[in-house]
Amino acid sequence: MAGKDRYVAKHGKAWAVKRAGVATPDSVHRTQGTAEQSAKRSVRFAGGGEVRIQGRDGKWRDSDTVAPGNDPFPPRDKKH
């Protein structure tokens, strides 16, 4: 499943959707919100997985499982 996962990270003044181990971003967006939507759409079309979102400070601030992925902590994830 790790090949389906996407990461939203700062990319200069923009936000990029990236895959682990790949230097070139899948896409670059002006806002973090649009990058997050794009990442979730990519993961959904790939068959589900994880989307991790990096904050402006460089720390991981959120992680969402996109269906039909396997959520490792279903009872704790009450946000989505």
Side-chain angles (χ1 to χ4, degrees):
M1 185 163 80
K4 300 176 184 179
D5 296 348
R6 298 292 187 272
Y7 305 94
V8 175
K10 194 76 170 146
H11 186 75
K13 291 185 178 182
W15 293 88
V17 176
K18 298 181 177 184
R19 286 182 285 163
V22 179
T24 306
D26 287 352
S27 58
V28 178
H29 305 269
R30 281 187 28 200
T31 66
Q32 186 181 36
T34 57
E36 183 178 348
Q37 289 173 352
S38 176
K40 288 180 179 180
R41 187 174 27 250
S42 294
V43 171
R44 190 176 310 113
F45 287 137
E50 198 73 20
V51 174
R52 294 191 70 194
I53 301 142
Q54 191 177 45
R56 293 176 197 216
D57 60 359
K59 296 179 183 176
W60 295 109
R61 69 169 184 84
D62 197 7
S63 179
D64 292 328
T65 301
V66 178
N70 183 19
D71 193 347
F73 300 107
R76 297 181 196 167
D77 189 7
K78 304 221 186 271
K79 189 172 75 170
H80 299 283

